[in-house]
Amino acid sequence: MGYFDAASAAPLHPIARQALLAALDEGWADPARLYREGRRARVLLDAAREAAAEAVGCRPDELIFTSSGTRAVHTGIAGALAGRRRIGRHLIVSAVEHSSVLHSAELLEAAGGSVTQVAVDRAGSVDPAAYRDALRKDTALACLQSANHEVGTEQPVAAVAEVCREAGVPLLVDAAQSLGWGPVDGGWSLLTASAHKWGGPPGVGLLAVRKGVRFAPQGPSDERESGRAPGFENIPAIVAAAASLRAVRAEAAEEAARLRELTDRIRARVPRLVPDVEVVGHPVRRLPGVVTFSCLYADGEALLHELDREDFSVSSGSSCTSSTLTPSHVLRAMGVLSEGNVRVSLPLGAAEEDVERFLAVLPGAVSAVREKLGAPVASEVVREEDVLVVDSLGKRCPIPVIELAKVIGDVPMGGLVRVLSDDEAARLDIPAWCEMRNQEYVGEEQAEKGTAFLIRRAS
């Protein structure tokens, strides 16, 4: 079976399994106690902290373990904001941050603070100058992921960290996706990560806070983890997380080169094998094992089911795969196609034969989904003066885009098509379709029901 969703959760590394089983026998006692069993547990915890700190590139006393990567983010942001409350309550984040960062930003806004979202380009990358422009006298903290969780784009962390350092503003880096591949370059102030992203057990997060960074832990605390992560430490899981991080780092250079060759193969061949596909994310500055593409005229959820039937596990940022029926905030911020979106994230040791089999079954899977969607209940097409109107109200993407593609050839060059839609995904997918098909996207306007999207035939 081809498990191609390592960016969500990597399979448990063999070293993590061995360390976990061993630590279950030795690390069950309270490390705060002075008797023999407690001392054994403390030795394991201290050794794990030293190993993790070495991998992160910080001092052991700057690193704590939390119950998850999300908890590490929430704790880090809340503590940094509280520690610099006298400076102000302004937070800077990129538009493609993980939801844990964006949820923290929403909480700050709800409490009366302010947030600036820095835009990204179509490759998903921020411009360091945009962070410089966003800095204010009351900026308490800036956040930037080291690499994106949906499209794999690596961010210019070192350059942004320098911009923040010059302004005296700490930078929190979410390194969940990249830490297994190597330390994060640059003068960051806080760093978070999650063990299950590199093959450690779930339920272990890391939070590093550099000495000198003002930090005030929020909520009830106790004596554990420097008062920053209350509760009994899960020592067996922590030991396994640190051991697996050291193990994956040892093989990172060789495995990165191998996986990059496989994802380069997918990036190059998918557009040749499947028509009307957009490969998204930075072509070079990206994680070794991640490649993401979107297929016109395809339903993301249906496509995932088709691939699952062929024994491939992938993920998607399409609107139809979420309960909100809105596209991924990452794809929306990038302004790229969201319909029929597929993210392939290869785990360590992914077999070349599985990649080749994936490329062999993908065209049939996309064709099957498109065929099912090719004969929907026909949208009403009428003419208003010189404008062709397509009524797709009540129909979810990709239906509005499919209907647009069907009628664009019925209007003369320079003629207009007006697509009526009440699906939020259409706001992203129709402009993306126009760019892919060399048509002119004129804009949108309010309609009696939903939104009217105007497209001028240019080719």
Side-chain angles (χ1 to χ4, degrees):
M1 180 172 179
Y3 179 76
F4 288 176
D5 196 22
S8 293
L12 191 66
H13 194 283
I15 294 296
R17 183 183 301 275
Q18 294 173 14
L20 181 64
L21 293 175
L24 285 171
D25 292 331
E26 294 292 327
W28 51 268
D30 187 346
R33 301 302 175 216
L34 298 180
Y35 43 69
R36 181 183 355 174
E37 294 85 357
R39 293 198 304 272
R40 279 196 201 127
R42 170 57 63 182
V43 168
L44 289 175
L45 180 59
D46 288 346
R49 196 183 314 278
E50 289 180 8
E54 181 181 3
V56 169
C58 67
R59 293 168 33 166
D61 60 352
E62 293 175 328
L63 184 142
I64 64 167
F65 296 104
T66 67
S67 58
S68 68
T70 293
R71 174 54 60 190
V73 167
H74 291 170
T75 301
I77 292 178
L81 289 173
R84 287 171 53 83
R85 65 170 63 92
R86 293 184 180 179
I87 301 296
R89 305 184 69 196
H90 176 235
L91 173 67
I92 302 173
V93 300
S94 84
V96 294
E97 294 299 311
H98 188 269
S99 58
S100 58
V101 173
L102 299 183
H103 290 161
S104 292
E106 291 170 1
L107 190 64
L108 174 64
E109 285 187 309
S114 59
V115 177
T116 297
Q117 274 200 11
V118 175
V120 297
D121 59 23
R122 282 185 65 84
S125 182
V126 302
D127 182 351
Y131 267 77
R132 179 181 288 107
D133 294 341
L135 289 166
R136 305 187 328 207
K137 290 183 178 180
D138 63 341
T139 301
L141 178 67
C143 297
L144 180 64
Q145 59 189 191
S146 55
N148 186 258
H149 50 292
E150 289 193 28
V151 299
T153 298
E154 294 178 331
Q155 299 291 1
V157 172
V160 172
E162 179 60 22
V163 166
C164 292
R165 187 196 64 77
E166 292 173 354
V169 173
L171 176 68
L172 182 147
V173 176
D174 171 14
Q177 292 295 335
S178 73
L179 192 61
W181 299 110
V184 177
D185 294 332
W188 50 266
S189 303
L190 302 96
L191 182 142
T192 63
S194 185
H196 74 279
K197 302 293 187 180
W198 65 68
V204 179
L206 307 181
L207 170 61
V209 182
R210 297 281 197 196
K211 291 295 182 182
V213 175
R214 294 180 180 176
F215 191 91
Q218 298 301 286
S221 64
D222 58 25
E223 73 280 3
R224 300 182 188 275
E225 296 302 298
S226 304
R228 294 174 178 178
F232 198 96
E233 296 95 340
N234 185 350
I235 294 178
I238 288 171
V239 169
S244 57
L245 180 56
R246 175 177 286 178
V248 298
R249 279 289 189 82
E251 57 194 22
E254 182 178 350
E255 187 66 0
R258 195 182 70 84
L259 292 185
R260 192 173 295 279
E261 191 280 325
L262 293 177
T263 53
D264 284 344
R265 191 181 307 183
I266 296 172
R267 287 181 65 90
R269 287 174 57 184
V270 165
R272 298 202 300 264
L273 294 168
V274 182
D276 299 315
V277 165
E278 181 180 17
V279 181
V280 300
H282 200 282
V284 177
R285 203 174 66 245
R286 57 184 172 82
L287 293 171
V290 178
V291 57
T292 305
F293 54 88
S294 299
C295 307
L296 273 174
Y297 321 131
D299 178 311
E301 185 172 5
L303 187 51
L304 263 57
H305 286 316
E306 286 288 336
L307 291 169
D308 185 45
R309 278 192 279 271
E310 296 287 349
D311 288 334
F312 286 103
S313 303
V314 297
S315 64
S316 173
S318 293
S319 60
C320 48
T321 61
S322 67
S323 59
T324 61
L325 293 177
T326 58
S328 144
H329 71 277
V330 172
L331 300 178
R332 188 167 61 244
M334 293 167 62
V336 297
L337 185 71
S338 75
E339 64 186 55
N341 178 260
V342 173
R343 180 189 68 184
V344 173
S345 49
L346 303 178
L348 299 177
E352 180 181 3
E353 311 87 78
D354 287 339
V355 170
E356 286 297 328
R357 192 169 69 83
F358 174 78
L359 291 170
V361 304
L362 179 65
V366 176
S367 295
V369 172
R370 285 173 172 170
E371 185 176 352
K372 291 175 184 177
L373 294 171
V377 177
S379 299
E380 183 183 355
V381 179
V382 298
R383 287 192 178 274
E384 291 180 358
E385 299 177 355
D386 294 329
V387 180
L388 191 66
V389 179
V390 177
D391 185 354
S392 290
L393 294 169
K395 298 177 173 63
R396 296 299 177 190
C397 275
I399 300 302
V401 182
I402 290 174
E403 296 303 324
L404 168 60
K406 286 180 178 180
V407 303
I408 191 70
D410 296 338
V411 299
M413 296 294 292
L416 289 175
V417 179
R418 191 169 186 260
V419 180
L420 301 177
S421 177
D422 51 7
D423 183 3
E424 178 64 24
R427 178 165 285 111
L428 175 60
D429 288 345
I430 288 177
W433 178 89
C434 290
E435 180 159 333
M436 289 179 68
R437 308 305 294 174
N438 296 318
Q439 307 295 346
E440 180 186 351
Y441 179 65
V442 178
E444 65 176 71
E445 59 188 25
Q446 282 299 116
E448 185 177 348
K449 292 182 179 179
T451 304
F453 299 92
L454 290 173
I455 300 92
R456 189 184 309 280
R457 183 181 177 190
S459 63

